[in-house]
Structure formats: structure tokens, C-alpha cells
Amino acid sequence: MAKAASYAKDVINNSGKQLMANYEDIFKGENDLCEESLFGWRWTAEQNNYTCGNCLTSELAMKGFETYQCWGDWTAPSVDLQDAFGVSPLDNPTQRNQSDARRKATMMMAGDKYSYWWQDKGGFNYLDFLYDKEYAPGSNDGLQSGTGANIAKHLYGNTNDHIKTFGISPGQQCSSLNTHVLRLADIYLVYAEAVIGNNNSTTDASAIDAFYKVRQRAVSAYERPASITLDQVLKERRLELAFEGDYWFDLVRMSYYDVNKAMNIIKAQRRNGYYGLPDLYKEYKMNNVWNVDESSMYYETNTPKPNVTASIFKLPLPDEDVVYNPHLLEDAQHLDVRAEFVY
């Protein structure tokens, strides 16, 4: 932990990088080489070949979002992630908690509009896309997401947006939008977690400052705390890095020292969908009426929770290796090599 903190602090102090002022700007094409990105995948659509370009818009965007094929209508953010952001698909869009700027940049929900997508149409309107065929002739009919939201991160917009940003057209499953692999905000939170170490919390000023810089960017009203807990840091990582491929590995890391906690987090996740959301959203779009009928619009609880065991956090040993060396299945034995052998 001490070494992790030392290396993270070195990056914070000496990388020459700094946090972008606005969270959503990190993921716009014009900021592919932004001052927050430590390294990332640099793609190009120039050869119109999906093996050379970023294909995430095709995989995550809804059908009709872009001229080229998209099939992400059902790749929906979990209800559990919405809970973490403090929002619900049953919230009236005019009253929804908008305190965390990362929510809208991460997932689109009823009432959301985006000026940086579909610029040739005056911006992207989520409900118009779902229910206005003149506005979005290629879309599916109505809401397809069972959780009332769709992924917003990693999308470049439509062909016009791509040409405006990169000077070239995208291709089939192929864009020039960068994929940030490691951002400075990640390192700030690594540092805060490492300083906490094997404790539950810390009052260390430098760790608090690192945590505060990340959270305050997203929640402008957030005040600097006197202490931070490990759970706060881990939740902040989930919100900050959602859909960037980190949360699973955070849980795996947790399993090394508290496997029951890691398993219980997964077991407790709300991963099912809602009944009645298409009717709720359509009525709001067509008649500007937000009327939640609790008898038909509610979270589905019949699906069994996942069967989670400690084994999910480790890759199994290959069968061939076990055949040649059955001792691999035995409990690991601690050996102090320096005390046992003389070199």
C-alpha cells in the first residue's frame, strides 16, 4: 500500500497532467489527447476497417443512433448503478437529482438532451429519439432498455459529428474516438485508497485532497470532508470510472482481503429491470404527463439473485496443468525462501 501511494503521488506530482474542468468533455472526440489521459487506445477510421477503429458506438448505441449499424438498445446501465448515482427511472425528469454531472455523461435517461451529438439536428434528445420517427427514422419503436436508461459514454454521435470532429467519416464498427485506458482521476483515487491502506478511513490531508478534487468536479456543491472512508473511495471509483472497465477489478482486489464483502456486494446488486417504463416514458413524451402507476410500474424482483461464490474472483487452473501437477489443487503453503535457502 505504501509503495502504491508513493508511485501514485509521483504521477500526480510529476506527470504534467491535470483534471479536465468538465467531466463530460473527457469523452468528446476533440479531447482524445486531453490533459487528463495518461494513456489510451488511439483509433483511426481512416482505413474504414473495424479492426483498426473504435467499435464501441456500434456496440453501445441504440439502433438508428448512427448511420452505421448499432445494436446497443438492450445494453442498459443497471438499476444498481442508477441507485449509486441517486437516481431512478421512476423519477420525474424535472425533479431528478442532477447534482452529479457524471450521471448524464455516463447514461441517458428520460428528459436528457446532449448538444454535442446530432449537431446537424440541433442536438440529441433521448425521448425524441425513442418516440419521434421524423426525428429518428432508424430507431426502434419506443424504449427497449429494461432499466429505463442507455449508455452515453463512449459514443461519438452521428456521421456528421464524426466528420466535424475528426475530418473523416466513420465506418462500419469503426470510429476515431479514443478509449481512455488510464486517467489521472483514477490515480487520484488509487492514491486515496492506498493511503487508507488497511484502515477503514483516514484524515490524511493529501489523501482527502485527492478524493475531493475528483468528487468536487462532478458534484460542485460537495464540501471538503475532514476524513474519508475506504467505502467512500470505492464508491467514487465506481461512479467516476463507470463503463471504463474498472469496477470488476476493484471487486477482485477487495476479494483478496474481504471476500465475503465482495460477494455480498454482487449478491445485493439490483440487476433486474422495471415493468411499465415504456408506457411511462411514452405518456410523458406525448402528453407531458409523468404519472407513475405503482401497480404496473415497479422493479422486478422475481429473478433469482446470482449464485456468487469465492471462486468467481479467480481464474481456474487449466486441466492439463492439474493433471501434470495435482499439488496445484492443494492449499498454498507459505515459504520464507530467504530463511529456507542459502544463496
Side-chain angles (χ1 to χ4, degrees):
M1 289 292 190
K3 202 66 174 175
S6 175
Y7 281 128
K9 190 65 171 175
D10 186 31
V11 172
I12 292 169
N13 291 339
N14 300 309
S15 66
K17 298 289 186 175
Q18 57 184 341
L19 298 182
M20 295 282 287
N22 299 310
Y23 182 81
E24 68 177 16
D25 288 347
I26 301 168
F27 308 99
K28 297 177 181 178
E30 57 264 34
N31 297 318
D32 268 3
L33 301 175
C34 72
E35 55 194 356
E36 183 168 332
S37 180
L38 290 164
F39 74 90
W41 303 123
R42 315 298 187 195
W43 305 103
T44 177
E46 188 172 359
Q47 299 180 37
N48 194 23
N49 186 330
Y50 73 87
T51 62
C52 301
N54 185 341
C55 64
L56 285 178
T57 289
S58 295
E59 295 179 351
L60 302 178
M62 299 167 288
K63 178 184 175 184
F65 182 81
E66 164 57 313
T67 305
Y68 298 94
Q69 185 180 15
C70 298
W71 56 87
D73 297 72
W74 301 274
T75 309
S78 70
V79 171
D80 200 73
L81 182 59
Q82 295 179 52
D83 291 344
F85 274 114
V87 297
S88 164
L90 298 180
D91 291 338
N92 186 319
T94 63
Q95 301 170 11
R96 181 185 296 127
N97 177 9
Q98 304 284 14
S99 62
D100 194 323
R102 293 171 298 197
R103 196 282 303 165
K104 183 183 173 186
T106 300
M107 65 181 82
M108 57 186 88
M109 302 180 73
D112 285 343
K113 301 175 183 179
Y114 298 82
S115 62
Y116 49 91
W117 295 332
W118 289 32
Q119 297 174 60
D120 56 332
K121 294 190 175 186
F124 180 83
N125 184 309
Y126 184 49
L127 287 179
D128 284 354
F129 178 86
L130 296 178
Y131 297 105
D132 187 339
K133 282 299 180 183
E134 290 187 9
Y135 176 75
S139 65
N140 280 312
D141 293 328
L143 178 71
Q144 306 297 315
S145 163
T147 68
N150 283 95
I151 295 176
K153 196 178 283 188
H154 302 303
L155 309 185
Y156 61 79
N158 61 17
T159 296
N160 176 77
D161 298 324
H162 195 282
I163 294 173
K164 184 176 180 180
T165 300
F166 301 107
I168 56 175
S169 175
Q172 188 75 21
Q173 301 182 49
C174 179
S175 83
S176 295
L177 186 66
N178 175 54
T179 305
H180 301 294
V181 176
L182 186 63
R183 299 192 282 111
L184 186 61
D186 190 344
I187 301 301
Y188 274 120
L189 296 175
V190 165
Y191 178 70
E193 180 181 347
V195 170
I196 293 173
N198 294 320
N199 303 305
N200 292 321
S201 64
T202 186
T203 57
D204 181 90
S206 61
I208 294 172
D209 285 342
F211 175 86
Y212 174 69
K213 287 178 181 178
V214 175
R215 181 153 185 80
Q216 197 273 335
R217 172 176 66 178
V219 184
S220 59
Y222 182 72
E223 298 182 358
R224 186 183 183 282
S227 65
I228 53 173
T229 67
L230 179 60
D231 285 344
Q232 283 180 302
V233 174
L234 292 175
K235 181 179 180 180
E236 198 65 22
R237 286 184 59 79
R238 185 184 188 190
L239 301 180
E240 177 70 22
L241 303 170
F243 305 131
E244 296 182 56
D246 289 88
Y247 188 50
W248 168 248
F249 297 101
D250 287 350
L251 292 174
V252 171
R253 187 170 67 258
M254 182 188 297
S255 75
Y256 294 160
Y257 60 88
D258 195 340
V259 68
N260 288 325
K261 181 177 181 179
M263 287 193 296
N264 288 335
I265 286 175
I266 298 175
K267 290 177 181 179
Q269 286 179 341
R270 299 213 299 162
R271 309 172 98 182
N272 304 336
Y274 273 81
Y275 293 113
L277 292 181
D279 293 337
L280 176 66
Y281 282 24
K282 187 174 183 179
E283 177 71 9
Y284 183 70
K285 165 59 185 172
M286 300 305 179
N287 301 313
N288 198 32
V289 174
W290 190 265
N291 181 28
V292 177
D293 181 354
E294 295 183 357
S295 67
S296 61
M297 302 170 184
Y298 57 90
Y299 179 73
E300 185 267 300
T301 58
N302 296 326
T303 302
K305 293 185 179 297
N307 181 26
V308 181
T309 64
S311 64
I312 71 166
F313 298 109
K314 297 179 180 178
L315 291 173
L317 292 166
D319 288 342
E320 289 185 358
D321 291 356
V322 172
V323 169
Y324 284 113
N325 184 5
H327 294 298
L328 291 172
L329 296 178
E330 299 173 1
D331 290 339
Q333 300 296 315
H334 176 72
L335 178 65
D336 188 337
V337 178
R338 293 185 183 276
E340 187 74 18
F341 300 101
V342 177
Y343 294 95

